[in-house]
Amino acid sequence: MKITRRTFLKISGATAAGTVMGGLGFDLTPAEVYAQELRIKGAKETTSICCYCSVGCGIIVHTDTKGKVINAEGDPDHPISEGALCAKGASSYQIAVNSNRLQKVLYRAPYSAAWKEVKWEWALEKIAANIKKSRDASFMQKNAQGQVVNRANGIASVGSAAMDNEECWLYQKFLRALGIIYIEHQARI
Amino acid sequence: MTNHYIDFRNSDVILNMGSNVAENHPVSFKWVQAAKDKGALFIHVDPRFTRTSTKADIFVRLRSGTDIAFLGGMIKYILDNNLYDEFYVKNYTNTSFIVNPNYSFDDGLFSGYDPNKRAYDQKTWALEKDENGIPKRDISLQDPRCVFQLLKKHYSRYTLEKVTQITGTPADDLLKVYKAYSSTGGPDKAGTILYAMGWTQHTVGVQNIRTMSMIQLLLGNMGIAGGGVNALRGESNVQGSTDHALLFHILPGYLPTPRAQWATLEDYNKTTPASKDPRSANWWKNRPKYIISFLKSMYGDKATKDNDFGYSWMPKLDPTQDASWLNLFDEMYKGAFTGFFAWGMNPACSSANAGKVRQAMAKLNWMVNVNVFDSETGSFWKGPGMNPKKIKTEVFQLPCAAFLEKEGSISNSGRWMQWRYKAANPPGVAKPDGDIMYELFKKVRALYEKDKGAFSEPILNLKWDYETHGHFDIHKVAKDVNGYDLSAGKLMASFAGLKDDGTTSSGNWLYCASYTEAGNMAARRKKGDPTGLGLYPEWSWCWPVNRRIIYNRASVDLDGNPRDSKRVILKWDAAVKKWTGDVPDGGWPPMGKEGFYPFIMKPDGVASIFGPGLKDGPFPEHYEPLECPIEKNLMSGQRINPVIKIFEGGPDTFKTCDPRYPFVCSTYRVTEHWQTGVLTRWLPWLIEAEPQVFCEMSLELAKLRGIKNGEKVVVETPRGKIWAVAIVTSRLKPFNIAGNTIHQIGVPWHFGWIHPKDGGDSANLLTPTIGDPNTMIPESKAFMANVSKLNQQPAKKS
C-alpha cells in the first residue's frame, strides 16, 4: 500500500488518539518530514546560542519572509548540545513572539501611580541630565585621607550577565568613564 | 571551569555536589550519561533527592551548609589510606613547602585573629623562603612544618564519627563516596567535580570549593582530561560578564581595580606578582602590559606615556573598600545614591533579603531599568506594600532586544566564546543594549562638552567610536576587546605580543586572539577533533588563547610524556621540540629538572594545597551557617566563620537556634524557570509547566505540621514571609544531627508578584544579608525558617 500524505491523514484520523500509529506497519518518516517542511518552508535559518544557563547550546532560529520568528530548535551541528534543548531553550522562540514584551519606552514620574509612554530621545536626554546632576553633586576628587580617588559616589549599577560580551565590556567602559565604583552584577549573587 | 562541558565524558568518576546538573544544566547531562555509558561512576551528594539523583550510582544526603565537614573527611580518608598521587603532589603542588614557625590553628581559629576587627593578620601563614627568596621544601614530606604534615594534622579531626554528627550523613554513606572518589588517585584515572550555587551561596562558599580543589590536587585530577574543577555557571554569559569585569573589584581580565593608595600607574604596577624562583613562569608578571593595553583601549590616542596612559582618570576605591552587592544595597538603603542602573537585572527578586532592596530603591531619585519584560524592579513602586504617592523615585524603563534580535558573543562555563547572529528585529522601539548605552553616553558627553561639570576628562577623552555608516557596530567593539598593534594598525594575534609602552591596545587581554586578522574566531564552526577527546579546537574560540583545558602541563610527566595514555591532551615531541594536542599552558619545553613549573598563574608555579591569601584561613575549616539548627559547632568553639561581616539593624535580622524558625531552608531552581523568572514567567509554555511557588518538605515534617500535599503554606523567616504550595515528598528526609532530628525544606526563587498574578513572590524575601568573606556571595542555601499552614480567613460573624 502506497501511503500518500492524504491517505496517511485519513488513516491517522481514523485511529483513536493516534496511539496505534506505530502499529500500522509503515514508516512515518516522510510524512513527518513533510509536516516539518510546511512549518519552516522558505524560512531563513540563523544560528544562535541559548540565552538561559551556561551550557551554551546551539539554537537555529527560523524566520519567515517577513522577518518574523516562526520557530527555534536545537542546532544538530553543535558539538555540545547536538541538537538537544531543555524546556527553556525549546521555548525560547516565545521570547520573540510574545505580546507581553516591553515595546515602548516608559517613564514613571516621581510620586506617580502610572507609566507614561515617552520617546527614546526624550528619555535618553533626561537620563543623561540625571547622570550629570548626580555625578557632579557626588563627585569626590580626594577621599578623607587626601588621596586622589576621582569617583562619582552617588550612582550605582547592577547588570548584566544577560548581555553579550561586547556589551558587557562597553558597559564597564561607560560606567568607569563616569567614575562609578559601585559596579556589580549576577556573578556576585 | 578549568575544563569544559563535553569533557565530562572523559571521566572515570563524576562527583556532583552543590548542584543539580540534570535539572539545571539539562543538556550538559548528556555528557554525564556518555561517561556512564563508558562505565564511569556518577555520585550525587545533596540535601535533596532530585532527577540528578535518579541517575546516580551513589546518592547520599548531607545537611545544607556542611560540605567542608563532608569533604574534610574525604581528605582524611585519602591521607590515611595513602591514596594520593605522590608524583603529582610532590612536583606540582606546594605540599612539600615549609610554613612559617608561628603558624598555628587552635579551636577553630588560625593564628593572627583579631576579634575586634573580625579579621586575620596573615603574616604567620606565609611560606618560608631561603636566602634567595625561593620557597623552602622538604620533598620527603616529613618536616613537621611542611604543608603535608600540617594538612594531615588539620584534617585528623574530621573523623567519620564527627563528620556524621555534623552532616547527618551515615558513616557507611560517607565511606561509599570517599572510596569511590579517591579511586581516581592513579595517573591513569580521572575524576571530576561539577558544582554550582549549592557551594558558592554559603558563608564558607570559597572554602567549599577550595576543599574540593585540594582533593583534586591530592588525586592529581587538575589539568587533565576528565578532571578539573568545574563550576556550572547559572547564566549564559556570566562567564563573559565576569571576564569583562562588571564587578567592583576587577578590571577586564582580572586586573585589580585601582585603589587610592596606588596614586600613579607606577604604584599600581608595583602590585604585580613577583617570584624570585627562576623555575616559576609567574605569568602575572605581565600585568603592566595588560593594564597599559587596557588603558589604551579606554582612552585611545588620549592615553599617552606622559599622562600615565590616563590612569588618573580611572575611579579609585578607598584602600580596603568593598563595594560589592550586599554593601551596595546597604548603602542604597541608607540613602547614599541618587541614581541607579538596574540593567538587565531584577534585584527586587534576585538579591538576598529582597525586601530590603525593594525599600532601598524607594530612596533613589532616579532609576534606569533595561529589560526584555516588565519586572519587580522596574515596577517596584507599585509592588506589594508600596504606596506610589510616597515614592519619589523617577523610573525609566527601557525596552531592549532579546538574544536572537542582535549580534554578539557569549562565553559559556567552559570559556567557549560563541558568536550569535541576529535573526529578527526587536519588537516596537526596543533596541539592543549596546545601542542604548552607546547613544546614552553620547548624550552625556554632549552635556559635558557644553558645561564641563566635575572632572570631565575621562568623559571627554573616552574612546567612543563604534559606528559604521552612522550605526552602532558591535564588531568594532569586539575588535577593541581583542586589541590592536597600534603601530601596524593590525589586530593583535595574541596577548603574548602585548606591550607596556603604549604601542598595543587590548580591552581584555584574556580575549586577545579572539578577533584577529584571520577573522572572528568566536564564529568558527569547524568540527575537527584531532585528540579525539572532544576539544573541538576550531569550534568557536575559548580563552585563554584557545586552550580548552587549563593547567594542562600538569597532565604530563617531567619529560612531557602523558601520564595517562588513554587521555592524551598534551605531549612533548622531542624530535621537533614542540607540544602536540591542546594549546599548552606556555610553550616552553617540559619541566624536566630545570624547566618551568606547570601552574603558571601562581607566583610559586605550583598549586596551593596550603593557600595563604583567603580571608578565612589557609586550610578550609567547617563553620556553621549564620543561621543554623545547632547551638555549638561540633568541630570547634567558633560557631560561624569568624571573619564574615555581620549586617544588623533595620531590615537586617537573623535568628539562630530559635524554636520559632526550626527548619533548614534552601532556595533553588527548577528546569522550566530561570533566575528570577523575568525571561521565563512570561512564556506561556513555561509558566504552564511551573505556575506557582512551592515549598518542598518531607512526609515526616508534613505530618508534624499537619500539612497535606497541595495545601498552601506560609514560609517565614525574621526577614519576611511568602505563601507557597506544599509539596510533600520523600525526596526530602529528616536528618539526624548529633542525636537531634533536623528537617530541611526548600523553595524555588523564580517567582515574583508581577506575573503571573497567582504565582507567589520571591523566595529571596526570606534570605539573610550575609556573605562569604572573600566573595560576599550571599548565603541563600542555608538559613532557618518556619513553615505552617496558611491560616484560613476567620469566618465572618453572621
Side-chain angles (χ1 to χ4, degrees):
Chain A
M1 175 178 161
K2 192 185 172 196
I3 304 288
T4 64
R5 180 166 182 271
R6 186 175 293 272
T7 52
F8 166 72
L9 289 174
K10 271 189 196 163
I11 297 166
S12 61
T15 56
T19 50
V20 296
M21 282 196 288
L24 285 174
F26 62 89
D27 181 8
L28 295 178
T29 313
E32 282 173 1
V33 169
Y34 186 77
Q36 182 72 8
E37 271 179 8
L38 276 183
R39 189 154 57 108
I40 58 173
K41 196 166 186 176
K44 185 183 155 202
E45 288 191 349
T46 307
T47 59
S48 188
I49 303 295
C50 184
C51 66
Y52 292 108
C53 85
S54 66
V55 174
C57 299
I59 292 184
I60 294 176
V61 183
H62 293 99
T63 42
D64 68 14
T65 48
K66 289 179 184 150
K68 189 186 167 210
V69 176
I70 50 171
N71 183 52
E73 61 188 43
D75 179 351
D77 291 332
H78 197 281
I80 299 174
S81 54
E82 298 180 322
L85 290 176
C86 75
K88 293 186 290 294
S91 305
S92 62
Y93 97 95
Q94 291 189 336
I95 296 178
V97 184
N98 194 314
S99 57
N100 288 310
R101 277 287 293 275
L102 291 176
Q103 308 192 19
K104 298 167 181 169
V105 182
L106 297 176
Y107 174 71
R108 185 259 175 185
Y111 309 108
S112 166
W115 290 114
K116 189 179 124 190
E117 187 185 344
V118 295
K119 298 263 188 238
W120 271 113
E121 190 70 7
W122 183 88
L124 292 181
E125 276 176 8
K126 199 159 166 57
I127 295 166
N130 282 349
I131 290 173
K132 185 164 192 301
K133 194 174 166 193
S134 287
R135 181 181 180 276
D136 289 354
S138 69
F139 203 84
M140 178 186 262
Q141 279 192 298
K142 287 185 177 174
N143 65 11
Q145 288 72 46
Q147 297 165 314
V148 174
V149 292
N150 284 335
R151 64 181 191 233
N153 287 324
I155 308 175
S157 167
V158 298
S160 176
M163 297 198 293
D164 290 345
N165 280 317
E166 298 71 27
E167 292 169 333
C168 290
W169 185 83
L170 194 67
Y171 190 49
Q172 71 80 34
K173 184 172 189 176
F174 165 83
L175 296 170
R176 291 188 161 111
L178 297 177
I180 295 172
I181 54 165
Y182 279 93
I183 300 171
E184 286 285 286
H185 83 289
Q186 285 93 336
R188 187 75 68 189
I189 53 176
Chain B
M1 278 191 191
T2 57
N3 293 39
H4 60 101
Y5 281 104
I6 298 170
D7 189 57
F8 300 171
R9 79 166 195 227
N10 296 321
S11 275
D12 294 308
V13 182
I14 300 174
L15 173 60
N16 184 205
M17 186 165 172
S19 85
N20 174 9
V21 56
E23 292 185 57
N24 295 339
H25 298 82
V27 175
S28 78
F29 200 72
K30 70 161 62 199
W31 301 112
V32 175
Q33 301 265 41
K36 276 171 63 80
D37 289 347
K38 289 198 291 186
L41 202 71
F42 179 52
I43 307 169
H44 190 215
V45 180
D46 202 278
R48 183 173 62 121
F49 185 88
T50 67
R51 280 181 275 185
T52 298
S53 327
T54 66
K55 296 288 179 187
D57 299 292
I58 302 171
F59 167 71
V60 312
R61 295 173 195 276
L62 88 172
R63 170 171 63 102
S64 185
T66 63
D67 302 72
I68 291 174
F70 190 105
L71 296 173
M74 177 145 34
I75 292 179
K76 181 176 182 336
Y77 181 85
I78 292 167
L79 296 175
D80 286 352
N81 297 287
N82 290 321
L83 297 168
Y84 52 92
D85 183 337
E86 193 180 343
F87 168 85
Y88 192 103
V89 160
K90 284 185 171 175
N91 287 287
Y92 298 159
T93 76
N94 69 5
T95 314
S96 62
F97 289 28
I98 311 294
V99 178
N100 184 296
N102 296 320
Y103 163 81
S104 67
F105 176 81
D106 183 31
D107 196 28
L109 289 174
F110 295 90
S111 45
Y113 186 65
D114 180 340
N116 297 318
K117 289 187 188 158
R118 294 183 60 79
Y120 285 104
D121 176 345
Q122 301 181 8
K123 270 202 284 295
T124 59
W125 306 354
L127 297 163
E128 273 199 339
K129 303 213 166 141
D130 68 15
E131 58 284 3
N132 298 318
I134 294 169
K136 287 187 189 168
R137 305 178 85 151
D138 172 22
I139 206 73
S140 73
L141 309 182
Q142 297 307 310
D143 188 306
R145 284 199 286 118
C146 81
V147 169
F148 187 76
Q149 294 300 328
L150 295 175
L151 179 81
K152 248 187 162 165
K153 190 175 164 199
H154 191 90
Y155 292 101
S156 64
R157 301 149 51 239
Y158 288 68
T159 59
L160 279 181
E161 188 193 8
K162 189 77 96 178
V163 173
T164 292
Q165 284 185 331
I166 294 170
T167 60
T169 314
D172 287 352
D173 280 353
L174 289 173
L175 278 173
K176 256 194 268 178
V177 176
Y178 294 171
K179 197 172 168 204
Y181 198 77
S182 55
S183 72
T184 62
D188 58 341
K189 293 280 179 189
T192 192
I193 169 67
L194 318 182
Y195 75 93
M197 315 312 281
W199 269 0
T200 59
Q201 289 177 333
H202 290 282
T203 45
V204 290
V206 171
Q207 299 283 18
N208 280 336
I209 297 152
R210 229 187 92 66
T211 321
M212 191 65 209
S213 305
M214 289 160 61
I215 290 171
Q216 289 297 70
L217 291 170
L218 288 170
L219 299 173
N221 281 332
M222 204 77 107
I224 66 168
V229 172
N230 297 304
L232 313 178
R233 306 199 66 168
E235 302 235 0
S236 61
N237 196 33
V238 73
Q239 184 63 54
S241 56
T242 304
D243 301 335
H244 294 307
L246 287 171
L247 292 163
F248 90 93
H249 69 294
I250 46 171
L251 298 179
Y254 304 92
L255 306 172
T257 302
R259 286 184 182 267
Q261 66 272 38
W262 311 322
T264 65
L265 185 58
E266 195 187 343
D267 296 332
Y268 180 90
N269 282 337
K270 277 183 195 154
T271 65
T272 303
S275 169
K276 292 191 173 156
D277 191 335
R279 302 191 64 189
S280 169
N282 184 30
W283 195 263
W284 273 120
K285 73 180 176 219
N286 296 303
R287 190 189 278 169
K289 297 173 188 168
Y290 304 154
I291 182 72
I292 290 166
S293 296
F294 168 73
L295 290 169
K296 287 298 290 180
S297 75
M298 287 288 282
Y299 308 115
D301 294 343
K302 299 287 169 55
T304 65
K305 206 167 181 187
D306 292 340
N307 67 11
D308 249 5
F309 301 104
Y311 176 76
S312 69
W313 299 332
M314 294 294 293
K316 287 162 193 74
L317 296 159
D318 282 338
T320 57
Q321 186 174 5
D322 183 316
S324 63
W325 184 278
L326 296 177
N327 287 322
L328 186 159
F329 284 101
D330 199 49
E331 290 293 314
M332 189 185 292
Y333 184 79
K334 291 175 188 159
F337 307 122
T338 50
F340 177 53
F341 293 97
W343 199 307
M345 275 208 85
N346 186 15
C349 289
S350 63
S351 182
N353 203 357
K356 177 182 176 182
V357 168
R358 294 175 186 189
Q359 290 178 53
M361 291 191 295
K363 301 189 177 179
L364 297 161
N365 287 354
W366 56 269
M367 172 168 88
V368 176
N369 181 223
V370 186
N371 222 320
V372 174
F373 290 100
D374 194 6
S375 73
E376 290 72 15
T377 296
S379 291
F380 83 93
W381 45 273
K382 54 178 172 175
M386 295 283 176
N387 180 356
K389 285 184 192 148
K390 291 196 171 153
I391 295 172
K392 63 176 175 178
T393 315
E394 195 177 28
V395 184
F396 300 84
Q397 195 172 55
L398 309 182
C400 66
F403 75 105
L404 37 56
E405 296 156 356
K406 64 182 180 184
E407 198 178 3
S409 72
I410 56 171
S411 299
N412 79 355
S413 242
R415 298 166 285 107
W416 291 21
M417 177 194 186
Q418 304 191 88
W419 196 262
R420 305 196 280 207
Y421 295 92
K422 177 180 170 178
N425 287 322
V429 300
K431 291 182 185 187
D433 299 279
D435 291 60
I436 299 171
M437 63 186 78
Y438 190 68
E439 293 304 317
L440 178 57
F441 183 75
K442 288 206 294 188
K443 300 274 184 213
V444 174
R445 172 132 73 187
L447 290 179
Y448 276 89
E449 278 165 353
K450 223 165 39 185
D451 163 21
K452 290 281 184 270
F455 198 62
S456 57
E457 286 88 340
I459 294 173
L460 299 178
N461 292 329
L462 199 72
K463 181 179 178 293
W464 202 254
D465 54 354
Y466 304 111
E467 281 171 54
T468 301
H469 306 308
H471 292 285
F472 175 67
D473 182 352
I474 203 83
H475 288 269
K476 283 199 166 167
V477 183
K479 289 174 184 175
D480 243 13
V481 170
N482 178 80
Y484 288 91
D485 176 336
L486 297 167
S487 328
K490 292 238 156 69
L491 288 159
M492 292 297 300
S494 106
F495 56 65
L498 293 177
K499 298 202 169 78
D500 61 3
D501 60 3
T503 60
T504 59
S505 72
S506 179
N508 185 335
W509 71 276
L510 278 177
Y511 282 74
C512 192
S514 64
Y515 206 128
T516 68
E517 291 295 328
N520 181 356
M521 297 292 131
R524 295 182 302 172
R525 285 174 66 91
K526 284 193 195 155
K527 288 183 68 178
D529 182 21
T531 61
L533 292 168
L535 301 186
Y536 297 104
E538 291 184 284
W539 181 276
S540 72
W541 179 86
C542 97
W543 69 256
V545 288
N546 210 31
R547 182 176 302 133
R548 303 280 159 150
I549 295 178
I550 53 180
Y551 312 126
N552 54 25
R553 281 167 62 104
S555 71
V556 297
D557 66 17
L558 300 183
D559 301 319
N561 297 314
R563 297 188 68 223
D564 182 350
S565 58
K566 296 196 303 290
R567 284 165 280 230
V568 180
I569 50 165
L570 210 60
K571 188 180 167 119
W572 177 252
D573 187 336
V576 292
K577 298 200 170 191
K578 237 183 108 177
W579 293 99
T580 57
D582 196 7
V583 177
D585 237 332
W588 318 283
M591 183 169 142
K593 295 208 164 36
E594 288 168 0
F596 287 129
Y597 300 127
F599 286 87
I600 64 170
M601 303 309 284
K602 302 289 293 178
D604 296 325
V606 293
S608 305
I609 296 263
F610 183 84
L614 292 181
K615 289 188 176 159
D616 41 4
F619 286 134
E621 171 67 7
H622 169 73
Y623 302 108
E624 289 291 326
L626 175 73
E627 293 184 331
C628 72
I630 52 175
E631 280 173 2
K632 195 186 169 312
N633 178 357
L634 298 172
M635 202 52 88
S636 76
Q638 298 295 319
R639 188 182 71 83
I640 57 172
N641 188 333
V643 299
I644 50 177
K645 176 180 173 179
I646 307 289
F647 293 79
E648 264 181 307
D652 286 316
T653 54
F654 65 93
K655 299 271 182 264
T656 189
C657 286
D658 186 318
R660 289 173 294 174
Y661 306 103
F663 311 128
V664 180
C665 187
S666 295
T667 64
Y668 52 77
R669 294 158 168 81
V670 300
T671 305
E672 294 79 5
H673 284 295
W674 186 69
Q675 315 299 58
T676 68
V678 174
L679 279 181
T680 53
R681 277 187 269 137
W682 296 96
L683 273 52
W685 288 349
L686 298 175
I687 201 64
E688 185 178 343
E690 287 285 359
Q692 283 176 317
V693 64
F694 56 81
C695 174
E696 276 187 83
M697 64 189 76
S698 67
L699 307 176
E700 293 82 354
L701 175 56
K703 194 174 170 196
L704 189 73
R705 287 291 159 114
I707 294 166
K708 292 196 184 72
N709 189 41
E711 281 184 335
K712 276 193 176 173
V713 294
V714 175
V715 187
E716 188 168 5
T717 71
R719 276 81 52 187
K721 61 179 172 183
I722 59 169
W723 67 260
V725 175
I727 294 186
V728 179
T729 171
S730 53
R731 292 193 292 259
L732 284 167
K733 288 198 187 305
F735 291 100
N736 178 346
I737 305 298
N740 300 309
T741 300
I742 303 290
H743 296 277
Q744 164 102 39
I745 59 172
V747 186
W749 64 285
H750 305 295
F751 296 90
W753 60 267
I754 206 161
H755 186 78
K757 286 297 166 218
D758 54 354
D761 211 339
S762 175
N764 272 317
L765 293 166
L766 307 172
T767 51
T769 308
I770 190 75
D772 175 274
N774 300 289
T775 61
M776 289 298 277
I777 290 179
E779 189 161 62
S780 311
K781 287 289 180 280
F783 56 95
M784 300 302 289
N786 189 28
V787 60
S788 54
K789 260 182 156 168
L790 184 68
N791 289 332
Q792 301 291 323
Q793 291 295 316
K796 281 183 187 164
K797 284 179 188 167
S798 54

